Amino acid sequence: MSQSLIGRIIGPRVSTEDLTQHELRYRAPSFLLLIARVLILVSLFLPYWHMVLVAPQYPDNLQLTAHVNQLSGDVAEIDSLNHYIGMRPLEEAAQFERSVGVYILILLVIMLEFAAWIHSRWAVLLVLPAVFFPAIFLLDLHLWMSHFGQNLDPDAPLSNSIEPFVPPILGTGMVGQFKTIATPGIGLLLSALASVVIIVALFFHRRAYRPLVAANNGE
Amino acid sequence: MRKQKRIGIGLSALALVACIGSASTAASAQSISDVQRIAKERGLSTADLLAAAKTLTPSGMKDEYIIFSSGGHSGQVFVIGVPSMRLLRSIAVFTPEPWQGWGYGVGNEILEQGYVNDKANLWGDTHHPALSETKGDYDGQWLFINDKINARVAVIDLRDFETKQIIKNPLTVSDHGGTFVTPNTEYVIEGGQYAVPWGAEYAPISDYKEKYKGSITMWKFDRKKGRIDKDRSFAIELPPYWQDIADAGKGVSDGYMFVNSINTELATGGIENKNPPFEAGASMNATDYLHIIDWRKAEKIYQSGKVEIIQGFPVITLETAIAEGLLYLTPEPRSPHGVDVAPKGDFIVVSGKLDPHVTIYSFQKIMDAIANKTFSGKDEFGISVLDFDSVVEAQVEVGLGPLHTQFGPDGYAYTSLFLDSAVARWTLGGSYGKGTPEPDWTLVHKTPVQYNVGHIGVAEGDTVSPDGKYLISFNKWSVDRFFPTGPLLPQNFQLLDISNQGADMPVIYDMPIGVGEPHYAQIIKADKLNPWSVYPEIGWDPQTQAVDPWAPRRKMERVERKDDGTVEIYMTAIRSHFNPEHINIKQGDKVVWRITNIERAVDATHGLAIPQYNINLSLEPGETAKFEFIADVPGVFPFYCSEFCSALHLEMVGYLMVEPTE
Ligand SMILES: [Cu+2]
């Protein structure tokens, strides 16, 4: 019997009898994906990235914090210093990403929701964006930082004493008299944890449904 | 690497701007023998080293207490840290002060409030600061200070340490019995000093007794508005006795106030005509009068309308005050200075400069004497005089020239001795007696001070809960204490450690004051103050303590020429430029110049200095200001930032171009 395309994507359904007999086997992947969804949703409200700038005349340091949708901290003061070297205002960075960040994360959560209902290998496609999200976030941040750091206004007051620079996206660096310390925020850590949980969920997903898929194909 | 180094050069220059020197840490091993060696080299005793250990405040360490000191002739208030005795800043009040731009573009309207008969009176003689109180304790919100020379009172907001109001007393010329606040800062008390006819209108001095008046003014403080409300204030007429220091009752005596006087003789001087000079004439009687005033009753009388409007101001006349029973007198040792109410409000301590005792009155006995009409007679104005012996609790012989008294937390009182050049510690009795090992009402110790002490201040020592710990002796003369700066020498603030009992109360620091002669000062626990580090929002007007809708903002900078020939400038300042930088106007233009410091960083203050137009503003982060002038001098005027703000501070400049019209 040939299956419809949708049927093949959704994959085999589990009989009630089978479900009650092997509850743990079938519930585990769904439960893990649920945890991943919760982690991602919670991360929405938490900072993804911090940078602390340390210099003698700022005994309390300067702070920069990125959420998926906003930049906060001493933005005005950092901008005010950056204008000397001709760096564009931070607010101009990643405007699109920040405007859609929340929706993208919600979309990822919905995709994970669907993935829990799909019992075929197609589920992998639905969860991969969520798995890679933390890495994409950091990559995007790095690209913006290097874009800003390498496109300084040549007419800025101190432009002739400066060459383009890229502060490290994680870890410590030096920009002028400022030591920069960049650390992941708790939101990013939760999102990364979600990635790990999803990979573990995939393992259990395969163990639960692959035999069913194989059995179906064998008929 | 190379690029980082190059940017380093640029930004390190910025670092110079606000360089906070990090304390140099010891390179090599140190030991106590190094301290001993240096002490020997410099001739320091163990007591000196101990004093240094008690007061030395290394870089970054904050002071435990803050002194708000009168600035004397400077017309300012000085803010000083304790125990470091470092001058933290001055607060411009009655006098123009260039660093704060006070009178040179900011605060001009407030200075104008202090003009007398429309005449610029631009010096002040500040004497007695008073911190606002809640339930008799400093609340750290407001500060008041009087100007003795012109009978003015100023209000300072302790959120930004800036003067918000100056009010001129319409009745009297000079004041000394102020400022003192009632326990919840309902009123700021200002007692007039040298008697004059109402409003200083002319009357020959031969009419002294009939025409010359004493008074005490109750300025109503509106805490919400942060201003004295003249329309809810009133005064009480007093005999022309030259009222002196006052103090508000507290605790059991809340609702009363006590006022000294120094010329119950009604001396009118005239040494040139072989009359006794004031110094003799006003010291003839063995006693002067302590005034006891029921201010709550006076408030009711005022509210019921039983006042006379004099010089446009409501006055409870002497006649009414006597008839309503809100004013009594009692003898006090002659030529008194301080009248100080003990922490619980139960005792009132008066020192007559020419009597070696402090005299302690019992508030309960005063109340009993009023109730039982235990009078020794009436004065020549018809005021009942309470019998001295029936209201006095004790007298303690403390030494020569006692002036002012403050209190500790433990039952000790402290009195300055001007002639002895010493500070006396003595014990209170009554319910305070348990706190001290010595018997009640006895002199415990005298610490010599250098020299000629006037007021003293104990940490929160005039509140309902004194802290003790530190006492500062505000000495008038320093003689040989410092490098002689020509014939005009600084005053000397001496810090005493009073944390131990008995005879242990050493001087541990000398602080010269070379900017005016301070009088009184109050000492508040630093953590009661909560000042702003920057103004709350960009475009903040310190005069209204609100955002000014007209404040220039980023991207809205412009120069507008109005039809009436007025030029309006909307300027912003941020490190390291003004915007706009070119101001092109014509000779004779009326210029309305608004400027906002749009910084948010702590300490990122900018100045705006315009040559030949006598203008200089200090603009703290967020502050906006407006000033006006007629561009009557043509020419080219580079204006610049007068507060070193950044590496490119020298470049923070603009050109005011005034084109000649003929
Ligand atoms: Cu500047």
Side-chain angles (χ1 to χ4, degrees):
Chain A
M1 197 177 95
S2 80
Q3 294 170 331
S4 68
L5 180 64
I6 291 175
R8 262 183 293 155
I9 290 175
I10 292 178
R13 298 294 95 185
V14 184
S15 68
T16 326
E17 188 189 337
D18 201 5
L19 195 62
T20 40
Q21 268 178 15
H22 306 283
E23 189 154 7
L24 187 63
R25 179 197 290 179
Y26 295 114
R27 293 276 188 227
S30 303
F31 179 69
L32 287 170
L33 287 174
L34 175 69
I35 288 177
R37 293 203 297 277
V38 171
L39 287 172
I40 291 173
L41 276 178
V42 171
S43 82
L44 259 178
F45 301 96
L46 295 169
Y48 262 59
W49 182 76
H50 301 283
M51 183 176 262
V52 178
L53 295 108
V54 183
Q57 59 274 74
Y58 294 95
D60 294 335
N61 303 331
L62 292 175
Q63 323 271 349
L64 196 60
T65 294
H67 286 66
V68 287
N69 63 337
Q70 63 172 359
L71 217 47
S72 57
D74 300 304
V75 178
E77 184 61 16
I78 292 167
D79 279 346
S80 152
L81 292 173
N82 281 342
H83 104 275
Y84 286 111
I85 58 171
M87 192 191 273
R88 285 159 58 196
L90 295 174
E91 202 44 52
E92 289 177 17
Q95 279 177 333
F96 173 74
E97 291 91 320
R98 279 182 283 130
S99 65
V100 299
V102 173
Y103 304 108
I104 286 189
L105 280 190
I106 290 171
L107 184 66
L108 294 183
V109 168
I110 293 169
M111 285 163 76
L112 290 182
E113 175 90 41
F114 275 115
W117 284 96
I118 288 173
H119 299 163
S120 73
R121 64 179 59 185
W122 292 97
V124 177
L125 269 189
L126 285 173
V127 303
L128 273 186
V131 171
F132 286 116
F133 182 77
I136 293 168
F137 177 88
L138 285 176
L139 180 67
D140 187 61
L141 191 63
H142 170 76
L143 290 175
W144 276 108
M145 294 259 281
S146 39
H147 178 64
F148 268 46
Q150 296 188 332
N151 290 282
L152 302 175
D153 179 357
D155 295 329
L158 298 177
S159 60
N160 56 1
S161 57
I162 282 141
E163 284 204 15
F165 64 94
V166 185
I169 208 75
L170 289 175
T172 59
M174 284 299 291
V175 181
Q177 85 268 39
F178 284 95
K179 182 181 179 190
T180 64
I181 304 165
T183 49
I186 184 136
L188 186 66
L189 294 177
L190 290 185
S191 175
L193 181 61
S195 300
V196 174
V197 170
I198 291 167
I199 289 166
V200 175
L202 280 181
F203 171 78
F204 285 111
H205 187 278
R206 183 181 154 93
R207 205 179 68 168
Y209 298 116
R210 194 152 189 258
L212 295 184
V213 174
N216 270 2
N217 289 348
E219 274 186 3
Chain B
M1 270 295 95
R2 183 177 151 265
K3 58 190 173 189
Q4 287 198 350
K5 211 166 190 178
R6 288 194 62 188
I7 188 182
I9 295 163
L11 289 179
S12 302
L14 302 181
L16 288 174
V17 177
C19 203
I20 293 169
S22 52
S24 57
T25 43
S28 57
Q30 296 170 328
S31 80
I32 198 72
S33 65
D34 296 312
V35 178
Q36 285 162 340
R37 177 176 52 79
I38 289 167
K40 204 174 164 199
E41 278 169 19
R42 297 194 64 215
L44 302 176
S45 66
T46 305
D48 295 334
L49 293 181
L50 195 57
K54 287 173 180 175
T55 55
L56 181 86
T57 307
S59 180
M61 186 189 276
K62 304 270 178 24
D63 282 306
E64 189 184 355
Y65 285 89
I66 299 296
I67 307 177
F68 288 95
S69 169
S70 88
H73 316 74
S74 74
Q76 303 166 0
V77 166
F78 300 147
V79 185
I80 298 163
V82 176
S84 75
M85 300 304 282
R86 294 175 297 193
L87 175 65
L88 300 174
R89 68 168 283 185
S90 75
I91 302 172
V93 187
F94 298 104
T95 307
E97 200 285 308
W99 170 56
Q100 292 157 78
W102 196 247
Y104 299 97
V106 294
N108 294 45
E109 297 86 346
I110 292 167
L111 282 170
E112 278 166 27
Q113 293 170 3
Y115 285 12
V116 184
N117 299 323
D118 297 325
K119 199 177 208 148
N121 272 269
L122 289 174
W123 84 281
D125 184 17
T126 56
H127 272 244
H128 308 118
L131 286 155
S132 60
E133 295 180 7
T134 300
K135 293 181 182 158
D137 214 351
Y138 300 153
D139 56 36
Q141 294 182 0
W142 304 94
L143 180 73
F144 309 94
I145 187 137
N146 74 313
D147 161 39
K148 172 169 163 162
I149 184 65
N150 280 311
R152 297 178 291 188
V153 169
V155 179
I156 296 163
D157 191 334
L158 292 180
R159 287 173 294 183
D160 61 354
F161 285 44
E162 279 198 12
T163 305
K164 302 301 169 190
Q165 184 184 23
I166 294 174
I167 196 152
K168 165 78 187 104
N169 194 303
L171 300 170
T172 181
V173 158
S174 53
D175 69 29
H176 198 234
T179 53
F180 298 91
V181 297
T182 54
N184 285 300
T185 323
E186 298 95 337
Y187 290 95
V188 181
I189 301 168
E190 183 195 20
Q193 181 141 63
Y194 305 118
V196 288
W198 291 129
E201 282 182 6
Y202 181 79
I205 203 159
S206 52
D207 293 349
Y208 186 84
K209 192 183 162 190
E210 296 73 33
K211 298 271 178 66
Y212 285 49
K213 305 290 181 183
S215 68
I216 192 148
T217 300
M218 305 297 286
W219 293 112
K220 178 76 193 166
F221 184 60
D222 185 334
R223 214 182 255 268
K224 227 176 183 175
K225 290 196 185 118
R227 299 288 186 277
I228 285 170
D229 185 350
K230 195 177 176 184
D231 294 335
R232 285 156 67 206
S233 304
F234 63 96
I236 304 162
E237 179 190 350
L238 299 173
Y241 287 159
W242 293 8
Q243 280 72 27
D244 198 58
I245 301 269
D247 200 7
K250 49 182 172 259
V252 293
S253 56
D254 185 11
Y256 279 79
M257 60 185 176
F258 309 93
V259 188
N260 279 334
S261 58
I262 56 175
N263 185 15
T264 46
E265 297 85 350
L266 304 178
T268 53
I271 188 172
E272 65 286 357
N273 296 321
K274 305 270 189 299
N275 292 323
F278 281 113
E279 62 172 342
S283 311
M284 218 113 60
N285 295 351
T287 55
D288 283 302
Y289 285 129
L290 173 66
H291 299 52
I292 298 147
I293 300 171
D294 183 342
W295 67 260
R296 275 206 212 282
K297 199 182 260 182
E299 181 184 46
K300 288 206 184 78
I301 302 287
Y302 157 63
Q303 283 163 353
S304 72
K306 267 189 248 175
V307 290
E308 222 174 86
I309 305 297
I310 299 168
Q311 302 290 326
F313 196 72
V315 179
I316 298 172
T317 62
L318 196 52
E319 205 186 338
T320 309
I322 294 167
E324 299 288 345
L326 59 86
L327 171 64
Y328 294 92
L329 303 174
T330 193
E332 58 185 356
R334 65 182 158 168
S335 305
H337 230 48
V339 50
D340 298 284
V341 179
K344 294 173 190 167
D346 44 359
F347 297 125
I348 299 113
V349 181
V350 172
S351 329
K353 293 187 283 268
L354 308 177
D355 177 328
H357 296 89
V358 284
T359 301
I360 298 100
Y361 298 83
S362 155
F363 182 70
Q364 188 53 50
K365 288 182 178 176
I366 289 172
M367 289 298 98
D368 292 346
I370 292 173
N372 302 328
K373 301 197 189 317
T374 318
F375 303 141
S376 55
K378 286 184 196 292
D379 81 334
E380 49 190 308
F381 293 86
I383 310 167
S384 298
V385 179
L386 306 181
D387 176 56
F388 180 75
D389 292 327
S390 59
V391 294
V392 166
E393 179 77 21
Q395 285 192 300
V396 181
E397 185 169 344
V398 289
L400 298 180
L403 297 187
H404 300 280
T405 297
Q406 294 257 305
F407 303 92
D410 43 14
Y412 284 131
Y414 300 86
T415 300
S416 56
L417 303 171
F418 181 82
L419 300 176
D420 275 352
S421 268
V423 172
R425 167 185 267 174
W426 51 279
T427 56
L428 294 167
S431 62
Y432 305 95
K434 299 188 296 290
T436 54
E438 298 85 1
D440 293 357
W441 310 121
T442 46
L443 175 68
V444 175
H445 179 72
K446 287 200 273 186
T447 295
V449 291
Q450 289 75 34
Y451 302 91
N452 293 357
V453 53
H455 282 268
I456 52 172
V458 169
E460 311 215 344
D462 64 356
T463 69
V464 294
S465 62
D467 286 8
K469 284 181 131 169
Y470 298 111
L471 180 149
I472 298 157
S473 174
F474 307 115
N475 304 322
K476 302 299 187 185
W477 287 20
S478 62
V479 191
D480 61 352
R481 294 293 99 176
F482 308 110
F483 175 83
T485 51
L488 181 60
L489 298 179
Q491 280 62 240
N492 187 12
F493 276 16
Q494 281 183 310
L495 179 66
L496 278 70
D497 174 7
I498 58 165
S499 51
N500 296 316
Q501 290 183 319
D504 183 3
M505 43 182 283
V507 171
I508 54 173
Y509 200 88
D510 279 32
M511 178 201 190
I513 300 273
V515 246
E517 187 214 72
H519 297 268
Y520 184 43
Q522 288 184 329
I523 306 165
I524 182 175
K525 193 91 193 295
D527 60 18
K528 283 188 176 174
L529 298 162
N530 194 16
W532 290 328
S533 56
V534 297
Y535 279 109
E537 287 177 58
I538 291 175
W540 196 266
D541 177 359
Q543 286 187 31
T544 59
Q545 294 290 43
V547 170
D548 178 0
W550 291 93
R553 292 175 175 278
R554 191 198 283 276
K555 294 193 174 129
M556 291 168 69
E557 298 93 345
R558 65 197 184 276
V559 178
E560 281 178 19
R561 177 170 286 281
K562 301 286 178 191
D563 295 336
D564 61 358
T566 306
V567 176
E568 293 188 358
I569 298 161
Y570 293 82
M571 181 175 274
T572 59
I574 190 166
R575 281 160 289 167
S576 309
H577 58 267
F578 296 108
N579 185 2
E581 290 183 329
H582 291 170
I583 307 293
N584 294 301
I585 58 174
K586 295 208 164 52
Q587 185 181 3
D589 280 346
K590 186 190 171 195
V591 181
V592 179
W593 195 314
R594 290 184 168 89
I595 178 165
T596 307
N597 176 350
I598 58 175
E599 300 274 4
R600 298 314 287 148
V602 174
D603 215 353
T605 296
H606 294 290
L608 170 62
I610 306 178
Q612 299 192 26
Y613 279 91
N614 197 34
I615 288 165
N616 181 48
L617 287 79
S618 171
L619 300 157
E620 287 91 68
E623 178 173 352
T624 195
K626 182 185 107 169
F627 60 97
E628 302 181 3
F629 62 95
I630 306 291
D632 46 4
V633 185
V636 174
F637 306 102
F639 58 88
Y640 63 84
C641 174
S642 55
E643 184 85 26
F644 204 120
C645 59
S646 57
L648 297 173
H649 164 72
L650 290 181
E651 290 81 354
M652 189 160 172
V653 64
Y655 275 85
L656 169 66
M657 318 287 294
V658 184
E659 197 184 327
T661 40
E662 61 264 11

